[in-house]
């Protein structure tokens, strides 16, 4: 144990320093960075977090919160410091007609299980629900409904935070605003979110889920611009992938039946084939759940994931997506990889630390790569391809989202 930790004041929870705890905290979903901390805090309450942050600060040790560890470049790791296992604090405290109060370690799937029986949902969800509330609020949280509602961080009413000095504060847009703005999308470095009061909106019972197929990326990008500008659908997301040897350009356009804002009008679009199904809201938002066991069976869940997330000006989106499409192959993505493209209206996003390109409409472009083995050569090739995407994005006036610290 680090000498400073031997004088740690008494905790209600645990400070683990065994090899299993250290190895766990030095691994994330990306599996390319393995910074080993000195200890892992399993807090019993917020006071434990405050105590550790104060003591670590006095001794020059970094403290970093970790939720589900789904980061891809070591963002939730703390070399030589302390990692806080936030999943130890995961209670859902209250569901009201317009809000829900939850601990930061609660998963979004559990939040929905609490709110949907009341006919309510958070306005913005990321595609994968098995992430913690504190984890996505620490990076921003963007999804297919962000063109209507902004980031998840734009839909927070109150936060409880432990500041870098160990003070426990409650903050909001009208109280302790500096703290509120520092921790939303602050990567856990400007304070630790411990509890959140989240905005809720009416949830639909069913959704109309369209999958539209395109002959060209130009048509795909053009229709995405049209849909979010007109607000025609409640959820919009583009995808590029290779399936059965064929390059696929696809647009998911979803209408929330009965409660949504979008009219669900496909008129004037330039897609080719189209599929439509009506499913429950839960089936749609939890649609990635069946894929997880498939990836685990293929050995790709625990393998390296050199992912790249970029925010691209609308004017550069077509060129970047064409570049990404040309490199889509098993060598750089595996058979399961894909590129996502979410169109966003920047006037809907007000989180100060979410750095956006200077454009009214931007695209979140995510290159989701799955290394089929731990071969350093394969991982290196994927990382080099990411660097090329990032360089093109920055040269076009774009920014990096979820970039390494």
């Amino acid at each position: 144990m680090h000498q400073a930790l031997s004088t740690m004041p008494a905790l209600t929870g645990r400070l683990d320093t065994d090899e299993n705890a250290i190895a766990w905290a030095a691994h994330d979903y990306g599996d390319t960075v393995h910074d080993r901390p000195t200890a892992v805090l399993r807090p019993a309450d917020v006071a434990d977090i405050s105590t550790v942050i104060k003591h670590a600060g006095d001794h020059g040790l970094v403290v970093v919160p970790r939720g589900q560890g789904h980061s891809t470049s070591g963002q939730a790791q703390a070399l030589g410091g302390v990692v806080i296992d936030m999943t130890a604090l995961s209670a859902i405290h209250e569901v009201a007609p317009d809000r829900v109060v939850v601990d930061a370690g609660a998963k979004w799937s559990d939040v929905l299980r609490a709110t949907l029986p009341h006919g309510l949902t958070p306005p913005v969800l990321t595609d994968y629900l098995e992430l913690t509330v504190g984890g996505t609020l620490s990076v921003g949280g963007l999804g297919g409904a962000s063109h209507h509602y902004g980031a998840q961080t734009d839909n927070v009413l109150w936060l409880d935070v432990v500041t870098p000095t160990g003070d426990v504060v409650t903050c909001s847009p009208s109280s302790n605003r500096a703290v509120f703005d520092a921790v939303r999308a602050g990567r856990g470095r400007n304070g630790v979110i411990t509890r959140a009061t989240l905005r809720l909106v009416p949830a639909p019972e069913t959704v109309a889920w369209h999958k539209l197929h395109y002959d060209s990326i130009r048509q795909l990008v053009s229709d995405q611009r049209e849909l979010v500008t007109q607000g025609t659908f409640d959820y919009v997301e583009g995808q590029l992938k290779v399936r059965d040897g064929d390059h696929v350009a696809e647009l998911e356009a979803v209408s929330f039946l009965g409660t949504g804002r979008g009219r669900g009008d496909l008129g004037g679009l330039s897609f080719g084939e189209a599929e439509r199904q009506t499913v429950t809201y839960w089936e749609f938002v939890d649609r990635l759940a069946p894929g997880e066991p498939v990836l685990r069976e293929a050995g790709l869940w625990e393998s390296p994931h050199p992912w790249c997330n970029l925010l691209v000006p609308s004017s550069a989106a077509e060129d970047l997506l064409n570049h990404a499409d040309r490199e889509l192959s098993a060598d750089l993505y595996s058979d399961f990889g894909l590129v996502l493209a979410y169109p966003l209206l920047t006037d809907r996003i007000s989180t100060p630390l979410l750095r956006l390109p200077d454009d009214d409409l931007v695209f979140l472009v995510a290159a989701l790569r799955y290394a089929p083995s731990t071969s350093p050569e394969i991982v290196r090739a994927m990382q080099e391809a990411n660097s090329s995407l990032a360089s093109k994005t920055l040269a076009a006036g774009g920014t990096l989202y979820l970039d390494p610290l």
Side-chain angles (χ1 to χ4, degrees), residues 19 28 44 74 79-80 89 114 139 160-161 167 181-182 203 216 238 243 270 349 385 392 400:
E19 177 57 28
D28 63 17
L79 181 63
L89 302 177
V139 297
D160 289 353
V161 172
D167 297 320
D181 286 345
S216 74
R243 297 296 182 263
S270 54
I349 299 173
K392 286 181 68 67
L400 306 183

PDB file of all heavy atoms in Angstrom, residues 19 28 44 74 79-80 89 114 139 160-161 167 181-182 203 216 238 243 270 349 385 392 400:
ATOM      1  N   GLU A  19      -4.400  -7.630  -5.416  1.00  0.00           N
ATOM      2  CA  GLU A  19      -4.086  -7.698  -6.835  1.00  0.00           C
ATOM      3  C   GLU A  19      -5.342  -7.750  -7.705  1.00  0.00           C
ATOM      4  O   GLU A  19      -5.394  -7.142  -8.776  1.00  0.00           O
ATOM      5  CB  GLU A  19      -3.201  -8.916  -7.124  1.00  0.00           C
ATOM      6  CG  GLU A  19      -2.869  -9.135  -8.602  1.00  0.00           C
ATOM      7  CD  GLU A  19      -2.188  -7.938  -9.254  1.00  0.00           C
ATOM      8  OE1 GLU A  19      -1.495  -7.175  -8.556  1.00  0.00           O
ATOM      9  OE2 GLU A  19      -2.345  -7.776 -10.482  1.00  0.00           O
ATOM     10  N   ASP A  28     -10.197  -1.561 -18.879  1.00  0.00           N
ATOM     11  CA  ASP A  28     -11.490  -1.033 -19.293  1.00  0.00           C
ATOM     12  C   ASP A  28     -11.902  -1.698 -20.594  1.00  0.00           C
ATOM     13  O   ASP A  28     -11.219  -2.596 -21.109  1.00  0.00           O
ATOM     14  CB  ASP A  28     -11.474   0.495 -19.403  1.00  0.00           C
ATOM     15  CG  ASP A  28     -10.507   1.024 -20.453  1.00  0.00           C
ATOM     16  OD1 ASP A  28     -10.074   0.242 -21.333  1.00  0.00           O
ATOM     17  OD2 ASP A  28     -10.171   2.225 -20.420  1.00  0.00           O
ATOM     18  N   ALA A  44     -19.182   3.127   1.011  1.00  0.00           N
ATOM     19  CA  ALA A  44     -20.487   2.826   1.589  1.00  0.00           C
ATOM     20  C   ALA A  44     -21.405   4.027   1.514  1.00  0.00           C
ATOM     21  O   ALA A  44     -22.626   3.897   1.570  1.00  0.00           O
ATOM     22  CB  ALA A  44     -20.331   2.386   3.043  1.00  0.00           C
ATOM     23  N   GLY A  74      -8.651   4.454 -21.166  1.00  0.00           N
ATOM     24  CA  GLY A  74      -8.121   4.640 -19.821  1.00  0.00           C
ATOM     25  C   GLY A  74      -8.673   5.841 -19.088  1.00  0.00           C
ATOM     26  O   GLY A  74      -8.117   6.250 -18.061  1.00  0.00           O
ATOM     27  N   LEU A  79      -3.405   6.172 -12.587  1.00  0.00           N
ATOM     28  CA  LEU A  79      -2.066   5.629 -12.406  1.00  0.00           C
ATOM     29  C   LEU A  79      -1.506   6.043 -11.046  1.00  0.00           C
ATOM     30  O   LEU A  79      -1.318   7.219 -10.753  1.00  0.00           O
ATOM     31  CB  LEU A  79      -1.147   6.128 -13.529  1.00  0.00           C
ATOM     32  CG  LEU A  79       0.293   5.616 -13.494  1.00  0.00           C
ATOM     33  CD1 LEU A  79       0.324   4.098 -13.655  1.00  0.00           C
ATOM     34  CD2 LEU A  79       1.110   6.287 -14.595  1.00  0.00           C
ATOM     35  N   GLY A  80      -1.249   5.051 -10.194  1.00  0.00           N
ATOM     36  CA  GLY A  80      -0.682   5.304  -8.885  1.00  0.00           C
ATOM     37  C   GLY A  80      -1.632   5.933  -7.889  1.00  0.00           C
ATOM     38  O   GLY A  80      -1.242   6.235  -6.764  1.00  0.00           O
ATOM     39  N   LEU A  89     -22.695   2.648  -5.208  1.00  0.00           N
ATOM     40  CA  LEU A  89     -23.775   3.594  -4.905  1.00  0.00           C
ATOM     41  C   LEU A  89     -24.714   3.610  -6.110  1.00  0.00           C
ATOM     42  O   LEU A  89     -24.481   4.321  -7.086  1.00  0.00           O
ATOM     43  CB  LEU A  89     -23.219   4.988  -4.641  1.00  0.00           C
ATOM     44  CG  LEU A  89     -22.193   5.110  -3.504  1.00  0.00           C
ATOM     45  CD1 LEU A  89     -21.672   6.539  -3.404  1.00  0.00           C
ATOM     46  CD2 LEU A  89     -22.790   4.663  -2.182  1.00  0.00           C
ATOM     47  N   ALA A 114     -37.395   1.662 -13.525  1.00  0.00           N
ATOM     48  CA  ALA A 114     -38.109   2.393 -12.471  1.00  0.00           C
ATOM     49  C   ALA A 114     -39.092   3.411 -13.040  1.00  0.00           C
ATOM     50  O   ALA A 114     -40.153   3.645 -12.459  1.00  0.00           O
ATOM     51  CB  ALA A 114     -37.109   3.091 -11.552  1.00  0.00           C
ATOM     52  N   VAL A 139     -19.213  12.393 -19.488  1.00  0.00           N
ATOM     53  CA  VAL A 139     -18.687  12.602 -20.839  1.00  0.00           C
ATOM     54  C   VAL A 139     -19.637  13.399 -21.728  1.00  0.00           C
ATOM     55  O   VAL A 139     -19.230  13.917 -22.770  1.00  0.00           O
ATOM     56  CB  VAL A 139     -18.342  11.259 -21.524  1.00  0.00           C
ATOM     57  CG1 VAL A 139     -17.249  10.545 -20.757  1.00  0.00           C
ATOM     58  CG2 VAL A 139     -19.568  10.366 -21.669  1.00  0.00           C
ATOM     59  N   ASP A 160     -25.552  16.116  -7.065  1.00  0.00           N
ATOM     60  CA  ASP A 160     -24.753  16.094  -5.843  1.00  0.00           C
ATOM     61  C   ASP A 160     -23.333  15.721  -6.250  1.00  0.00           C
ATOM     62  O   ASP A 160     -23.126  14.754  -7.002  1.00  0.00           O
ATOM     63  CB  ASP A 160     -25.290  15.079  -4.838  1.00  0.00           C
ATOM     64  CG  ASP A 160     -26.610  15.526  -4.218  1.00  0.00           C
ATOM     65  OD1 ASP A 160     -27.024  16.670  -4.459  1.00  0.00           O
ATOM     66  OD2 ASP A 160     -27.222  14.713  -3.499  1.00  0.00           O
ATOM     67  N   VAL A 161     -22.369  16.482  -5.753  1.00  0.00           N
ATOM     68  CA  VAL A 161     -20.991  16.361  -6.227  1.00  0.00           C
ATOM     69  C   VAL A 161     -20.037  16.424  -5.042  1.00  0.00           C
ATOM     70  O   VAL A 161     -20.259  17.191  -4.089  1.00  0.00           O
ATOM     71  CB  VAL A 161     -20.664  17.511  -7.218  1.00  0.00           C
ATOM     72  CG1 VAL A 161     -19.185  17.520  -7.583  1.00  0.00           C
ATOM     73  CG2 VAL A 161     -21.531  17.396  -8.464  1.00  0.00           C
ATOM     74  N   ASP A 167     -15.193  18.709  -0.732  1.00  0.00           N
ATOM     75  CA  ASP A 167     -16.440  19.300  -0.258  1.00  0.00           C
ATOM     76  C   ASP A 167     -17.630  18.620  -0.938  1.00  0.00           C
ATOM     77  O   ASP A 167     -17.578  18.288  -2.129  1.00  0.00           O
ATOM     78  CB  ASP A 167     -16.472  20.795  -0.555  1.00  0.00           C
ATOM     79  CG  ASP A 167     -15.379  21.552   0.180  1.00  0.00           C
ATOM     80  OD1 ASP A 167     -15.133  21.229   1.354  1.00  0.00           O
ATOM     81  OD2 ASP A 167     -14.762  22.446  -0.431  1.00  0.00           O
ATOM     82  N   ASP A 181     -21.332  23.221 -14.092  1.00  0.00           N
ATOM     83  CA  ASP A 181     -20.748  23.254 -15.422  1.00  0.00           C
ATOM     84  C   ASP A 181     -19.409  22.525 -15.490  1.00  0.00           C
ATOM     85  O   ASP A 181     -19.011  22.056 -16.563  1.00  0.00           O
ATOM     86  CB  ASP A 181     -20.558  24.698 -15.869  1.00  0.00           C
ATOM     87  CG  ASP A 181     -21.864  25.374 -16.236  1.00  0.00           C
ATOM     88  OD1 ASP A 181     -22.869  24.660 -16.422  1.00  0.00           O
ATOM     89  OD2 ASP A 181     -21.884  26.621 -16.331  1.00  0.00           O
ATOM     90  N   ALA A 182     -18.717  22.424 -14.374  1.00  0.00           N
ATOM     91  CA  ALA A 182     -17.405  21.780 -14.374  1.00  0.00           C
ATOM     92  C   ALA A 182     -17.492  20.258 -14.398  1.00  0.00           C
ATOM     93  O   ALA A 182     -16.624  19.589 -14.972  1.00  0.00           O
ATOM     94  CB  ALA A 182     -16.597  22.223 -13.154  1.00  0.00           C
ATOM     95  N   ALA A 203     -43.191   8.657 -21.931  1.00  0.00           N
ATOM     96  CA  ALA A 203     -42.624   7.582 -22.742  1.00  0.00           C
ATOM     97  C   ALA A 203     -43.714   6.965 -23.615  1.00  0.00           C
ATOM     98  O   ALA A 203     -44.834   6.747 -23.151  1.00  0.00           O
ATOM     99  CB  ALA A 203     -42.020   6.508 -21.851  1.00  0.00           C
ATOM    100  N   SER A 216     -25.907   5.403 -51.683  1.00  0.00           N
ATOM    101  CA  SER A 216     -24.707   6.235 -51.545  1.00  0.00           C
ATOM    102  C   SER A 216     -24.698   6.929 -50.195  1.00  0.00           C
ATOM    103  O   SER A 216     -25.756   7.178 -49.601  1.00  0.00           O
ATOM    104  CB  SER A 216     -24.638   7.281 -52.660  1.00  0.00           C
ATOM    105  OG  SER A 216     -25.579   8.320 -52.430  1.00  0.00           O
ATOM    106  N   GLY A 238     -27.474   7.090 -38.393  1.00  0.00           N
ATOM    107  CA  GLY A 238     -26.955   6.434 -39.583  1.00  0.00           C
ATOM    108  C   GLY A 238     -25.922   5.388 -39.235  1.00  0.00           C
ATOM    109  O   GLY A 238     -25.260   5.468 -38.190  1.00  0.00           O
ATOM    110  N   ARG A 243     -21.713  -6.351 -44.295  1.00  0.00           N
ATOM    111  CA  ARG A 243     -22.404  -7.570 -43.893  1.00  0.00           C
ATOM    112  C   ARG A 243     -22.496  -8.494 -45.098  1.00  0.00           C
ATOM    113  O   ARG A 243     -22.962  -8.095 -46.162  1.00  0.00           O
ATOM    114  CB  ARG A 243     -23.806  -7.251 -43.341  1.00  0.00           C
ATOM    115  CG  ARG A 243     -23.799  -6.396 -42.066  1.00  0.00           C
ATOM    116  CD  ARG A 243     -23.147  -7.135 -40.902  1.00  0.00           C
ATOM    117  NE  ARG A 243     -23.162  -6.357 -39.657  1.00  0.00           N
ATOM    118  CZ  ARG A 243     -22.153  -5.626 -39.219  1.00  0.00           C
ATOM    119  NH1 ARG A 243     -21.031  -5.552 -39.940  1.00  0.00           N
ATOM    120  NH2 ARG A 243     -22.238  -4.962 -38.081  1.00  0.00           N
ATOM    121  N   SER A 270     -34.574   9.912 -50.177  1.00  0.00           N
ATOM    122  CA  SER A 270     -33.984   9.265 -51.350  1.00  0.00           C
ATOM    123  C   SER A 270     -33.483   7.856 -51.065  1.00  0.00           C
ATOM    124  O   SER A 270     -32.561   7.381 -51.720  1.00  0.00           O
ATOM    125  CB  SER A 270     -32.843  10.129 -51.900  1.00  0.00           C
ATOM    126  OG  SER A 270     -31.897  10.417 -50.877  1.00  0.00           O
ATOM    127  N   ILE A 349     -27.584  21.867 -27.672  1.00  0.00           N
ATOM    128  CA  ILE A 349     -26.564  21.405 -26.730  1.00  0.00           C
ATOM    129  C   ILE A 349     -25.947  22.611 -26.042  1.00  0.00           C
ATOM    130  O   ILE A 349     -25.369  23.491 -26.696  1.00  0.00           O
ATOM    131  CB  ILE A 349     -25.482  20.577 -27.448  1.00  0.00           C
ATOM    132  CG1 ILE A 349     -26.129  19.330 -28.085  1.00  0.00           C
ATOM    133  CG2 ILE A 349     -24.374  20.171 -26.482  1.00  0.00           C
ATOM    134  CD1 ILE A 349     -25.186  18.526 -28.952  1.00  0.00           C
ATOM    135  N   ALA A 385      -5.495   3.864 -37.931  1.00  0.00           N
ATOM    136  CA  ALA A 385      -6.666   4.263 -38.714  1.00  0.00           C
ATOM    137  C   ALA A 385      -7.484   5.316 -37.966  1.00  0.00           C
ATOM    138  O   ALA A 385      -8.000   6.266 -38.577  1.00  0.00           O
ATOM    139  CB  ALA A 385      -7.526   3.042 -39.028  1.00  0.00           C
ATOM    140  N   LYS A 392      -8.195  14.032 -40.040  1.00  0.00           N
ATOM    141  CA  LYS A 392      -9.085  14.589 -41.054  1.00  0.00           C
ATOM    142  C   LYS A 392     -10.182  15.440 -40.397  1.00  0.00           C
ATOM    143  O   LYS A 392     -10.564  16.492 -40.907  1.00  0.00           O
ATOM    144  CB  LYS A 392      -9.724  13.462 -41.885  1.00  0.00           C
ATOM    145  CG  LYS A 392      -8.781  12.799 -42.861  1.00  0.00           C
ATOM    146  CD  LYS A 392      -9.480  11.716 -43.660  1.00  0.00           C
ATOM    147  CE  LYS A 392     -10.524  12.273 -44.610  1.00  0.00           C
ATOM    148  NZ  LYS A 392      -9.960  13.079 -45.701  1.00  0.00           N
ATOM    149  N   LEU A 400     -12.808  16.248 -31.073  1.00  0.00           N
ATOM    150  CA  LEU A 400     -12.803  14.874 -30.589  1.00  0.00           C
ATOM    151  C   LEU A 400     -13.798  14.737 -29.439  1.00  0.00           C
ATOM    152  O   LEU A 400     -13.850  15.568 -28.544  1.00  0.00           O
ATOM    153  CB  LEU A 400     -11.399  14.486 -30.102  1.00  0.00           C
ATOM    154  CG  LEU A 400     -10.255  14.687 -31.088  1.00  0.00           C
ATOM    155  CD1 LEU A 400      -8.945  14.177 -30.473  1.00  0.00           C
ATOM    156  CD2 LEU A 400     -10.519  13.991 -32.411  1.00  0.00           C
TER     157      LEU A 400
END
